[in-house]
Amino acid sequence: MPAVGGIPTGPGREYPGNLTPYVLVTCIVAAMGGLIFGYDIGISGGVTSMDPFLRKFFPKVYRSKHDESSSNQYCQYNSETLTMFTSSLYLAALLSSLVASTVTRKLGRKPSMLLGGLLFFAGALLNGFAQAVWMLIVGRILLGFGIGFANQSVPLYLSETAPYKYRGALNIGFQLSITVGILVANVLNYFFAKIDGGWGWRLSLGGAIVPAIILTGGSLFLPDTPNSLIERGNMEDAREKLKRIRGLENVDEEFNDLVMASELSKKVEHPWRNLLQRKYRPHIAVATLIPFFQQFTGINVIMFYAPVLFNTIGFGDDASLMSSVITGLVNVIATLVSIYGVDKWGRRFLFLEGGAQMLICQVIVAACIGAKFGIDGNPGELPKWYAIVVVLFICIYVAAFAWSWGPLGWLVPSEVFPLEIRSAAQSINVSVNMVFTFVVAQVFLNMLCHLKFGLFLFFAFFVVVMTIYIYYFLPETKNIPIEEMNQVWRSHWFWAKFMTEEFSDGNVEMLKGGQALKNV
Ligand code: BGC
C-alpha cells in the first residue's frame, strides 16, 4: 500500500515501446494544439493596446485612452464590446467542449483534431481580414470552437499514443506549449505594433493560421489511436496501428489490456450519475475547486491584459508590449522548473510555495498601484523605479503561478479520477476552467474600473483560501500510480470517511498499466 508521498512504487506494468516517428509527429501536432490555445490567450491583450486597432474597431475606447481631460486611468479601457472580443472565445470553447467529447468518442480522436484545426484556420482568417467588430467576434468564436475540439482530443490522443513512461512529462509538456504560445504572441505583438501603416494587428490575429495549418495537416496524416479504434470495434486495424505506433511486432500484452479496459469502460453506464455518489466527493471537489481556484489566482488578468494593465499604470505603448514579453518569458521558464520539480518536490510543496509567493506579490503590487494612483486613478508623474518595481513583482507572481497552479491545475485533476468517472470528471474540470476563464476575462476591465488597486487584493483573498484548501484537503499524489490513487483518499484525515470499502480495488488489477493510457 503506497504511503502518501512515500517511496516511488512505479507503474503497475510497463509496456515496451519506442519513441517512433509516429510518436514524435504526435508530439509536434499536440504541441500545435497547446500553441494555438496559448497564442489566443496572449494575442488579444497586445492587439487591444494598439492604437490603429482601437481606432478602427473601438473608437470610444481609443478616445477615452487619449482623452487628456479624463485622468482616471483605471477606467480608460472599460468597454463591453472590447471585453466581449477577448472573452467570447472562452464561452465558445466551453460550449464546443461539451459537443467535442461525444464526437471524440463516437467518431474518433482524429476527426475531432481535424475539425479543431479547420475551425482555427477559419477563425484566424476571419480575424486577420476583419473589417467590422462582428467579424472579430465571430472569428474569436470560431477559434473558441477550435479550442474546444483540440483541447478535448489532443491531450487524449497524446496520452493514448505516448509510451507509458513519457505520459507525465507530456502532460506538463502541453502546458509548456501553451506558455510558449503566449510568449510567441507577446513577441509578435511587440514587433507587429511597429509596422508602418498600423496594420500589424492583422498579422498578429492572422498569425494563428500557421499552427492551424500544421494541426490540420498533422491530423490528416496521423492514424487514429488504437484505443479509439477498439472502442469503435475495429480490432484488427487497432492491432496494426499499435504495432506501427510502438515500432514493435509483439504488442499483445498492451493490446489485450486495451481491449479489456475498453470492455470495462463500456460497463460504466451512467458516468454522470455515478459522480453524485458519496464516495466521489473528494473527486468532485478536485474537479470543481482546482479549475475555479486556478482562474481566481488572477493569472489571466496578466495573460490577457498585461499590455493594457501596464498601459494603465503609466507605461508607453512600446514599454507595455515589451513588459508583457518579459512576463511571457518568465512564464515559460518557470514552467520548466515545474517539469523538473513536480516529481521530486511533490505537488503540495509547489502549490503551497506558489500560493505564498503569489500572495506576497499581489499585496505589494496593490500597495504600489494604490500609493501612486490612489482612488481617483490620477498618478501624476511616475518615477522610473516605480515601473521597475511593479513589473518585477508581477514577474515573481507569474513565476509562482507557472510552477504551481498553472501546470498542476491540469495535472492533478487528470491523475486523481478513477476510471469509472474519469471522462465525466475531466469534462467538468475543463468546463469549470472555461467558465471562470470567461468570467475573469469578462469582468476584469470593469472590476479594474471599480475596485481599482483593490482588484489585486480581491485575488489575493482567493489565493489565501485556495492555499488553505491545498494544505488541509489535497493529498500528495507524487509517485502514486494512477490505479492506486484511492489509497491516498482512504488514508486522508478528512476524505477517508467518504471512502467505502467496495471502492476501487475490484477492477484495478486487470487495469494496471493498460487503462492508465486512457488517462487524460
Ligand atoms: C491556464 C490558463 C492560463 C495559462 C497561463 C493555464 O494553465 O489554464 O488559463 O492562461 O495557464 O500560462
Side-chain angles (χ1 to χ4, degrees), residues 57-123:
F57 297 106
F58 305 95
K60 246 175 76 190
V61 180
Y62 176 76
R63 278 196 300 275
S64 132
K65 185 178 163 193
H66 292 275
D67 183 358
E68 299 295 331
S69 63
S70 137
S71 54
N72 187 346
Q73 302 285 325
Y74 292 127
C75 298
Q76 57 175 338
Y77 284 96
N78 188 14
S79 147
E80 299 276 313
T81 16
L82 186 62
T83 323
M84 206 57 210
F85 166 65
T86 300
S87 64
S88 52
L89 185 146
Y90 301 93
L91 202 59
L94 167 69
L95 295 178
S96 72
S97 63
L98 300 175
V99 182
S101 81
T102 315
V103 175
T104 310
R105 200 179 61 242
K106 296 236 162 89
L107 301 180
R109 286 67 173 126
K110 208 173 125 119
S112 253
M113 276 185 344
L114 182 61
L115 203 58
L118 290 173
L119 286 163
F120 275 135
F121 185 80

Side-chain angles (χ1 to χ4, degrees), residues 100-180:
S101 81
T102 315
V103 175
T104 310
R105 200 179 61 242
K106 296 236 162 89
L107 301 180
R109 286 67 173 126
K110 208 173 125 119
S112 253
M113 276 185 344
L114 182 61
L115 203 58
L118 290 173
L119 286 163
F120 275 135
F121 185 80
L125 213 60
L126 206 60
N127 270 348
F129 287 104
Q131 294 300 336
V133 175
W134 71 263
M135 288 174 81
L136 285 181
I137 296 192
V138 173
R140 289 285 286 179
I141 291 177
L142 287 175
L143 289 170
F145 284 147
I147 286 179
F149 278 94
N151 279 14
Q152 166 78 21
S153 52
V154 171
L156 206 72
Y157 193 100
L158 202 67
S159 27
E160 291 176 347
T161 313
Y164 182 52
K165 45 183 183 252
Y166 299 111
R167 211 185 57 242
L170 287 175
N171 191 311
I172 300 192
F174 190 65
Q175 167 75 13
L176 184 68
S177 64
I178 295 177
T179 62
V180 171

Side-chain angles (χ1 to χ4, degrees), residues 41 175 179 182 294-295 299-300 303 331 401 406 410 433:
I41 291 173
Q175 167 75 13
T179 62
I182 297 175
Q294 191 206 48
Q295 290 308 315
I299 187 65
N300 280 326
M303 294 301 141
N331 194 18
F401 174 87
W410 294 107
N433 198 295

